[in-house]
Amino acid sequence: MGLKRRAFLQQAGLTLLTLGSSEAGLSLGLNRYQQALAQPTSRKLALLVGINQYPEQVSDRSTHGTALNGCITDVQLQRELLIHRFGFQPSNVLTLTDQQATREAIEAAFLAHLTEQARPGDVVLFHFSGFGSQVKLGENGELIQSLVPVDGVLPTEENPFINDLPEETLGLLLRSLSTEQVTAVLDTSYADPNRAIQGNLRIRSRPTTPTGWLAASELEFQEQLRDRVKISQEQSQAQWRTGQLPGIVLIAAGPDQVAAEGQWNGFSAGLFTYALTQHLWSAMPASTLQMNLSLATGAVKQLVGKEQQPQILGQKSQSPALSPYYLKLDAATAADGVITAVEEDAKTVRLWLAGLPAAVVENYGQNSLFSLTQPAAPADEDVQLLEAVLPNAETTTLPANKRLLQMRTREGLSVRAKIYAASSAVPLQVGQLVQESVRVLPRNVGLTVALDSSLERIERVDATSAFATIPRVTAIAAGEQSADYVFGKTQLGTPTLAASLTSASAAGGEPSQPINGDLPSPKSSYGLFHLGRSALLNTLSKEEEAVKTAVNRITPQLHTLLATKLLRLTSNAESSRLGVRATLEMTAPQERIVMQQETPRAPWNAPASRLAGLFVGDGRLPTLPTESRLQYRLCNYSDRPVYFILLGLDSSGSAIALFPTPAPESNSFDFKAAPADSLLSPGEILLVPQSTPSDWTLQGPPGVVENYFIFSRAPLTQTYSALEISMRSKADARRVSTLANPLEVAQATLQDLNQASLLDNSRTDSATDTYALDVNNWATLSFVYQVAKA
């Protein structure tokens, strides 16, 4: 069977991907990374499948089109990660994309590349991005789930057979491997959504459930696999239901949910694949698969709300200390990107920047700086980086081991950068890893709202006109381009987008008409929705209203959401070199560690914590009951004082802040100076709030909370002044309180961080249209968790 399968691969024109000849001349400096990655006791094999271009015969989406946009990007995301972070040899990474990915080709490639090569102890990864489906076997038959290959055409009366790759077959293929160290990543879903576009996202599920029969060749193939792995048909059919699958299976969405792909400025990708691979680029040796999956789940939740919850299955899914892809990570290879090409002048390179959050990448500004990876230097040797992004900055001197690349242009996830400064003559090489040094962000970042296709034409016109009056808020047609939220309507009392209840036409088209035109239209409410379809409940009204009235009503919430977007753009736990740690603890009704974030690239060793052993992530987003009492434990393990503030959203969607505590003899705050309880001295550990027991209680309602602890080497003076506006309207200060002016506070915080990044520079002027943030001088640690009814 092996020779036959290999012959089939050759006939189909499939080859193992290898890097270009430019990689052949890697220097000894780069070889040390390869040596650190190499694990001679085991081989690493991967099969990556991604399908964007499905023919119309695969689904009945003739009015929507059948193309996905992000599946090929998913394959690239995994491939670059596996080669440059996990040490896979390029020749051991096989990819099948678009027309290559037929059912027979996928099955043949799995057998030839994985089954026939893998030995006990080897590491194997299978990835699929594309449509998933439910299939009904015969008129009264059972429902099965399947992956849809590029030739998975729908059954017809003339040809009643379905050509999908059944979930049962995939389970048997996984069982055919000689190794237990296997991971399957499925960025697809099976629920029947009856739509191609959900809000502003494309859905990776077939829109309807076809009825047909498995082809005789597929049934024969399944029987051959059952004979090979020695299990019965009943056992093979039950393996997904019982979770008795080999290794680990990561699925982008739950059984009744849909997996979506996001659209950013210049690229599309699966929400789950991007979030997972992005966190794995910077994961440290102590982090587990479950911890990284939890972080990825939080990133997905921020975009789509409750509509997509990644899942972990498999016999090893309950192993608490499981390493990502079964491989121990080396801190020396933690990075934000990699050099993928060096141009002829040897001074310009191409960078792949998938180690940064997608929203950060799409807002990355010209002149951002990256350094080649190297052991962290003591803080006293920090180079004055900001000169590169200041129009009139003075010349700086670089230490002997510092080499910087300056971003010039970006195309999707690929950045063109030039050598900004270097004191070494060693040439740049493909495969060298890079880390963020200075993040340049535009000052005019705005909020983009997609107008849902379920709105009537006159509603879209009125909404466009109303949004045009709100500064830094832009309205677009759903599906046109990258968006932050969706404006639409829902039936009163139903917190989901109305478009999800009907079969709307293509984005920007007219909605379908109700079947019974005599029925009165249900009363509806306008509001904002996540890019999936779940509503932001504090934007809905209990009464019907005009579109312009609704837009005016939600203007304060739009300001809050824009402020949150700005805070998200500062998140940098992975790249910061400020030595800080924050631990979220629940003190009642029981004591437990909820989450912990720190800055692993800081040049100081983080102190051991007796609490760290109590924290075990399970891959899900942390969930806390209402009435829980919370506190944060902050630690400054650097050699200098840092200042901090807590900003974010509570579960109702309201902006919150941690306000400094006034001195007992004073009834007012001195916001011009740094409040004493916003300062963290070197080596200090501080509880926030400082009351014992904690007076911070989760009041609800059920929802998602976002907290951002922002640390700076300089006082956040403009932030304190902006907070003063909100606080002086209150008779009594509280530790954590709602914020009346979140957008002004967020803008002031960015300006403070911009100023903090000038600490080592003799000039204080910077470009007036950008913020330039130095990773040596700031850290933003984000905490995302759910609140549920007690």
Side-chain angles (χ1 to χ4, degrees):
M1 182 181 294
L3 293 176
K4 179 179 178 181
R5 293 290 173 177
R6 284 198 178 90
F8 182 88
L9 287 173
Q10 294 171 355
Q11 292 171 8
L14 307 178
T15 59
L16 302 180
L17 291 183
T18 58
L19 293 179
S21 59
S22 59
E23 190 180 19
L26 294 183
S27 68
L28 291 177
L30 179 57
N31 285 338
R32 77 176 187 272
Y33 290 118
Q34 300 296 339
Q35 293 167 3
L37 290 167
Q39 295 188 9
T41 58
S42 64
R43 194 176 185 186
K44 305 165 190 174
L45 301 167
L47 172 60
L48 314 177
V49 181
I51 308 171
N52 282 342
Q53 299 300 321
Y54 282 95
E56 279 192 11
Q57 296 90 336
V58 169
S59 72
D60 56 1
R61 295 182 176 180
S62 56
T63 58
H64 290 283
T66 56
L68 296 171
N69 297 322
C71 298
I72 306 301
T73 305
D74 288 0
V75 168
Q76 294 174 305
L77 289 168
Q78 285 281 19
R79 182 178 182 274
E80 299 296 338
L81 175 76
L82 295 177
I83 293 172
H84 299 294
R85 183 79 223 270
F86 286 92
F88 281 61
Q89 292 298 317
S91 59
N92 287 335
V93 180
L94 175 63
T95 69
L96 301 179
T97 57
D98 284 344
Q99 298 307 310
Q100 294 175 322
T102 64
R103 176 181 62 80
E104 285 195 351
I106 295 171
E107 293 171 349
F110 197 107
L111 288 176
H113 186 61
L114 302 181
T115 302
E116 296 181 10
Q117 293 195 88
R119 297 293 178 263
D122 287 353
V123 171
V124 169
L125 176 75
F126 172 76
H127 180 102
F128 178 86
S129 286
F131 286 140
S133 179
Q134 294 187 66
V135 176
K136 188 176 181 182
L137 298 180
E139 289 297 332
N140 300 312
E142 63 174 322
L143 281 175
I144 66 168
Q145 296 181 155
S146 64
L147 307 181
V148 182
V150 72
D151 60 343
V153 297
L154 294 170
T156 62
E157 289 187 6
E158 296 77 17
N159 181 23
F161 298 103
I162 190 80
N163 201 42
D164 289 3
L165 195 160
E167 200 175 53
E168 181 182 355
T169 300
L170 177 58
L172 290 168
L173 286 169
L174 294 174
R175 284 187 174 277
S176 72
L177 297 166
S178 298
T179 178
E180 296 181 353
Q181 297 191 129
V182 55
T183 302
V185 182
L186 307 179
D187 200 338
T188 187
S189 53
Y190 311 109
D192 182 348
N194 196 30
R195 59 192 181 278
I197 296 177
Q198 176 171 284
N200 203 48
L201 303 172
R202 285 194 173 270
I203 299 171
R204 292 183 172 179
S205 292
R206 222 187 223 134
T208 56
T209 300
T211 299
W213 302 97
L214 294 180
S217 59
E218 179 64 17
L219 295 174
E220 180 183 356
F221 183 59
Q222 288 183 349
E223 187 61 35
Q224 292 173 353
L225 290 173
R226 280 194 289 268
D227 289 342
R228 180 171 188 157
V229 300
K230 297 179 173 55
I231 65 172
S232 67
Q233 184 174 3
E234 292 73 18
Q235 290 173 315
S236 68
Q237 291 175 343
Q239 57 188 340
W240 287 86
R241 184 177 66 255
T242 60
Q244 294 303 303
L245 294 160
I248 292 292
V249 180
L250 303 177
I251 305 179
D256 299 319
Q257 299 175 329
V258 291
E261 59 180 32
Q263 179 181 7
W264 293 275
N265 182 15
F267 64 98
S268 295
L271 297 182
F272 176 60
T273 297
Y274 193 97
L276 178 66
T277 56
Q278 184 251 314
H279 284 290
L280 291 180
W281 267 104
S282 54
M284 300 304 287
S287 67
T288 65
L289 174 64
Q290 288 85 347
M291 291 178 184
N292 286 282
L293 180 59
S294 180
L295 292 172
T297 299
V300 172
K301 203 100 174 179
Q302 287 177 316
L303 291 174
V304 298
K306 63 183 181 181
E307 297 303 309
Q308 183 175 340
Q309 174 75 38
Q311 306 285 305
I312 180 170
L313 304 175
Q315 295 174 342
K316 294 194 175 184
S317 60
Q318 301 303 313
S319 302
L322 195 65
S323 299
Y325 300 167
Y326 303 94
L327 295 170
K328 290 294 183 183
L329 293 167
D330 189 327
T333 63
D336 301 313
V338 62
I339 296 177
T340 57
V342 179
E343 297 187 6
E344 290 184 0
D345 62 2
K347 296 181 179 180
T348 306
V349 298
R350 288 281 178 180
L351 303 178
W352 178 258
L353 287 186
L356 294 169
V360 171
V361 173
E362 75 168 345
N363 285 284
Y364 235 54
Q366 188 180 34
N367 295 331
S368 294
L369 292 179
F370 303 89
S371 61
L372 297 177
T373 57
Q374 60 187 6
D380 290 342
E381 298 178 19
D382 287 345
V383 67
Q384 299 174 12
L385 301 178
L386 267 295
E387 176 260 343
V389 293
L390 301 178
N392 302 309
E394 298 177 352
T395 303
T396 62
T397 301
L398 292 170
N401 60 353
K402 196 72 179 182
R403 306 186 68 196
L404 297 177
L405 302 173
Q406 186 180 57
M407 171 178 161
R408 306 310 298 162
T409 59
R410 179 182 67 85
E411 296 178 11
L413 290 167
S414 179
V415 163
R416 189 170 180 265
K418 69 175 185 179
I419 295 178
Y420 164 67
S423 55
S424 170
V426 177
L428 297 172
Q429 301 285 351
V430 170
Q432 286 177 296
L433 302 176
V434 298
Q435 295 177 344
E436 181 180 44
S437 289
V438 175
R439 181 180 301 181
V440 176
L441 298 171
R443 290 179 183 253
N444 63 346
V445 171
L447 200 71
T448 303
V449 178
L451 304 182
D452 190 67
S453 58
S454 70
L455 298 174
E456 301 286 350
R457 188 178 300 277
I458 185 60
E459 292 175 306
R460 296 198 296 273
V461 171
D462 288 346
T464 301
S465 175
F467 280 115
T469 65
I470 306 174
R472 299 178 65 173
V473 177
T474 303
I476 62 169
E480 256 186 12
Q481 62 189 65
S482 174
D484 299 297
Y485 297 93
V486 176
F487 178 78
K489 60 184 177 182
T490 185
Q491 294 179 14
L492 290 176
T494 305
T496 53
L497 200 59
S500 67
L501 307 177
T502 63
S503 179
S505 65
E510 296 299 328
S512 60
Q513 299 300 315
I515 296 175
N516 188 343
D518 296 330
L519 292 177
S521 300
K523 293 184 177 181
S524 59
S525 169
Y526 297 106
L528 293 173
F529 300 79
H530 289 284
L531 293 182
R533 58 175 184 167
S534 58
L536 281 69
L537 296 181
N538 66 343
T539 68
L540 299 180
S541 173
K542 295 181 179 179
E543 299 179 355
E544 290 190 303
E545 59 190 340
V547 171
K548 291 187 176 181
T549 302
V551 173
N552 291 333
R553 173 178 54 79
I554 65 173
T555 297
Q557 286 89 342
L558 290 168
H559 290 162
T560 298
L561 295 172
L562 178 54
T564 305
K565 180 177 181 177
L566 295 178
L567 295 179
R568 290 174 181 173
L569 290 177
T570 70
S571 183
N572 74 331
E574 294 86 357
S575 63
S576 174
R577 294 182 180 271
L578 207 62
V580 292
R581 172 195 287 158
T583 306
L584 175 59
E585 305 172 11
M586 182 170 68
T587 61
Q590 63 184 28
E591 294 186 0
R592 70 180 178 95
I593 305 300
V594 180
M595 301 178 69
Q596 183 170 281
Q597 294 274 5
E598 61 185 12
T599 51
R601 292 185 195 167
W604 305 273
N605 292 324
S609 171
R610 63 179 181 84
L611 300 173
L614 302 176
F615 171 63
V616 179
D618 61 1
R620 296 176 294 181
L621 196 65
T623 301
L624 302 177
T626 54
E627 304 304 320
S628 296
R629 290 185 179 271
L630 304 179
Q631 69 181 18
Y632 280 94
R633 187 180 301 266
L634 308 183
C635 175
N636 175 10
Y637 57 89
S638 72
D639 63 355
R640 61 201 63 195
V642 296
Y643 302 84
F644 68 88
I645 191 69
L646 170 63
L647 302 171
L649 294 176
D650 65 15
S651 59
S652 72
S654 299
I656 60 170
L658 170 69
F659 293 95
T661 305
E665 65 276 6
S666 174
N667 293 321
S668 63
F669 292 91
D670 179 9
F671 282 90
K672 306 307 178 184
D677 59 357
S678 291
L679 173 65
L680 202 58
S681 300
E684 183 179 4
I685 295 176
L686 181 68
L687 295 180
V688 177
Q690 296 182 35
S691 56
T692 305
S694 172
D695 58 4
W696 186 3
T697 303
L698 287 180
Q699 301 294 338
V704 176
V705 173
E706 296 184 38
N707 291 163
Y708 295 89
F709 260 104
I710 302 170
F711 300 86
S712 171
R713 281 181 55 190
L716 300 165
T717 54
Q718 296 190 49
T719 304
Y720 303 142
S721 295
L723 286 172
E724 181 180 11
I725 299 173
S726 185
M727 283 298 299
R728 285 183 174 174
S729 64
K730 299 178 182 294
D732 193 19
R734 294 181 295 174
R735 293 298 190 89
V736 179
S737 181
T738 55
L739 192 57
N741 57 337
L743 184 54
E744 290 79 5
V745 170
Q747 291 172 314
T749 301
L750 274 165
Q751 183 57 36
D752 280 332
L753 297 180
N754 183 75
Q755 290 299 119
S757 295
L758 298 172
L759 283 176
D760 294 327
N761 203 291
S762 61
R763 304 192 62 90
T764 58
D765 58 326
S766 64
T768 58
D769 58 347
T770 60
Y771 302 107
L773 311 183
D774 186 340
V775 297
N776 292 294
N777 296 322
W778 115 93
T780 298
L781 309 184
S782 64
F783 294 81
V784 181
Y785 57 92
Q786 296 181 112
V787 176
K789 289 183 179 179

